[in-house]
Amino acid sequence: MYISADTVIQEAKPSNRLERILPVLECQPPLALAPMVGLSHSALRLLILELGGVGLFFSEMLSVMRLPIENEIVSPFLCRTPEESPFFYQIFAGPNQDIIPAVERLHLLNAQGIDLNLGCPAPVLRKQRAGAFMPFDSVRTTIATLRAATHLPISAKIRLGKTLDKKALLAFCKMLEDGGVNLLTVHGRLQGEKFCRKPRWDWIGKVKQAVTIPVLANGGIFSVSDAKKCLERSGADGLMIGRGAVCKPWLFAEIARDVYHSSSVPEINIPDIYFRFIELLQDRFLPERRLGRLKQFTHYYSSNFLFGHHLASGVQNCRTLDEAAETAMSFFNKIQE
Ligand SMILES: Cc1cc2nc3c(=O)[nH]c(=O)nc-3n(C[C@H](O)[C@H](O)[C@H](O)COP(=O)(O)O)c2cc1C
């Protein structure tokens, strides 16, 4: 999948055109790690990179108000190594929030793209009228401001809308495309739908047919078979995977091998991968930032075991990272007995 910067050339302000080197991202294989608060951080990205198969990263959502003042050396939201590329930072903004300082910061952070969160229905976004709650006209204005402020590819991540309404959904997507968005990710659920509901991959297909920019399909991909079905039903250009990649950080490698014939899968040892993740947390984060992230990861990773809830609750009750590692070790020893 190529995320072309052609549209950027047409849309950028004339004064900026010549000064900017326009990047053309080659995202191969077209498999992206989803933005997930508390999960899509440097340690998980490095773990996934070691296992292979991933083509594109998205940060967890970042407030445009906080971004300019975050310290990228210690901030768990911003810290990132050069290998974690290509990399889109995801931002969210309310209608009256100034996005320019955040965009300038992302240029300094060597972003390869900027993603606007237009799909998240979390209460914290409702208050700010951001994410899924951003009014149509504010979305249009924000995209225009973003387009004028950056030479980088812009992507948008959406859900299917408040209700199933094909006309409204396609009008929204066309507005994004016409406004200069270069890549669209569609999470195949309605705004109010919980994750337990099956995603509507066929509805992602309706969007794919209506726009000319690349579309990533998102939602409910936990296996190679899910990936194949989703691609078949949506006709999408690629996939964005969230929880499935936390449960199985090697899932990208499996999909890359079986669908895109572009990668091999290393030997998978589930306990070793868990301890490698702990090492990466230690490498990447300040001590006080590690345990919470391990607990969140374990919540999903424990699904690899029949009695994984013992691992999840055991780690949940730990007060230190060492205690959590010991708890995990005794769980792994027990299941091997
Ligand atoms: C813990 C968690 C945090 C999330 N945070 C974000 C976020 O910051 N931005 C966003 O656009 N979506 C966020 N999402 C939604 C995911 O990006 C994705 O759309 C959703 O999980 C469905 O994909 P999946 O079935 O592959 O997990 C989050 C999901 C989870 C489970």
Side-chain angles (χ1 to χ4, degrees), residues 9 50 63 87 176 192 200 216 219 226 255 259 262 272 292 296 308:
I9 300 169
E50 287 176 4
S63 154
F87 196 94
L176 295 175
R200 297 173 163 91
L216 295 178
D226 291 337
I255 299 172
V259 178
S262 64
D272 283 358
Q296 215 171 331

Side-chain angles (χ1 to χ4, degrees), residues 34-37 39 60-61 90 117 120 157 187 189 195 218-222 240-244 296 300:
M36 287 178 291
V37 171
L39 289 166
E60 56 193 280
M61 62 179 173
Q90 187 190 65
N117 181 335
C120 185
K157 181 165 179 279
H187 176 186
R189 292 189 175 89
F195 287 158
N218 169 241
I221 297 157
F222 290 92
M240 174 186 275
I241 303 177
R243 293 161 301 151
Q296 215 171 331
Y300 293 95

Side-chain angles (χ1 to χ4, degrees), residues 17 48 50 77 106 130 168 170 172 177 179-180 225 254-255 270 281 291 293 298 302 326 329:
R17 275 187 204 153
I48 288 174
E50 287 176 4
F77 315 109
L106 294 182
L170 300 190
F172 187 65
E177 178 173 27
S225 151
E254 289 183 347
I255 299 172
I270 298 177
L281 284 174
L291 183 61
R293 284 173 175 76
T298 309
S302 58
E326 277 166 31
M329 181 63 89

Side-chain angles (χ1 to χ4, degrees), residues 330 332-337:
S330 59
F332 296 140
N333 287 340
K334 213 177 255 168
I335 57 167
Q336 274 161 10
E337 276 167 13

Side-chain angles (χ1 to χ4, degrees), residues 170-171 173-174 177 204-213:
L170 300 190
C173 295
K174 285 302 285 174
E177 178 173 27
I204 302 174
K206 296 180 200 296
V207 173
K208 169 64 196 158
Q209 280 169 18
V211 297
T212 59
I213 51 176

